[in-house]
Amino acid sequence: MPPRHVVLVGLMGSGKSSIGRPLARRVGREYLDNDDVLELRTGHTAREIASDRGLDALHEEEANAFREMLADPKPAVIGAAASVVVDPGIRDLLREHDVVWLDTDLDHLARRVDAGDHRPFLGDDRRAALQAQWDARAPFYREVASLVVHPDREDDERIVDEIAQALI
């Protein structure tokens, strides 16, 4: 039987890294971040790939990095790129793992992404761009989720506790 990873999914800024790292420590697993693996595989950041080759190329590279993480035989906590759930093949692969959807309030997300400079191409109206992404991806997140949590405040420890109690 393949390893059961704990996979965190959600839009950019939903807290996959800030929740995933302490969750991994809590459960004694390695934390793997899609952005980090992408950069190791390609030598480029998500922003650089999107800028140089376009969003389709970025999403393809993110999916390839994500498949690589899922294939790792050692169970880990994985922070997935927001776009990977669009791929039906990846959604099929996710059925073999514990998937947590970090369904975060859009206003909270907009504030979080304003604080970061690595978020590619949200444009001037970040909230509207996030709303469009949520509308397109929420059905897929819902489809693959074993657990849905709502990290709408800066209380990551509460979310880590909720996930650890539910899945591990």
Side-chain angles (χ1 to χ4, degrees), residues 5 37 61 90 127 150 156:
H5 298 294
V37 173
E61 292 289 359
I90 286 180
R127 191 183 188 297
H150 302 280
D156 291 345

Side-chain angles (χ1 to χ4, degrees), residues 73-127:
K74 185 177 176 189
V77 175
I78 298 173
S83 66
V84 298
V85 296
V86 174
D87 182 319
I90 286 180
R91 291 197 307 275
D92 286 342
L93 291 172
L94 285 172
R95 294 183 208 310
E96 303 300 319
H97 303 282
D98 295 316
V99 181
V100 180
W101 177 18
L102 305 178
D103 185 14
T104 308
D105 173 78
L106 291 176
D107 291 325
H108 183 71
L109 284 176
R111 285 190 299 276
R112 287 185 69 144
V113 299
D114 279 342
D117 63 356
H118 69 287
R119 316 290 185 192
F121 303 114
L122 281 179
D124 292 333
D125 189 346
R126 291 178 183 234
R127 191 183 188 297

Side-chain angles (χ1 to χ4, degrees), residues 14-72:
S14 62
K16 294 180 295 274
S17 297
S18 63
I19 290 168
R21 285 183 174 86
L23 177 63
R25 283 191 299 275
R26 169 89 49 91
V27 300
R29 294 184 181 188
E30 181 180 9
Y31 176 71
L32 302 174
D33 185 271
N34 217 141
D35 287 342
D36 295 342
V37 173
L38 171 77
E39 193 167 348
L40 283 172
R41 288 180 90 249
T42 67
H44 299 282
T45 66
R47 178 179 280 281
E48 290 168 345
I49 294 168
S51 178
D52 295 345
R53 297 174 36 210
L55 285 177
D56 288 342
L58 170 62
H59 293 161
E60 182 178 333
E61 292 289 359
E62 287 173 332
N64 291 337
F66 186 68
R67 283 185 190 92
E68 181 180 301
M69 290 185 292
L70 286 181
D72 190 322

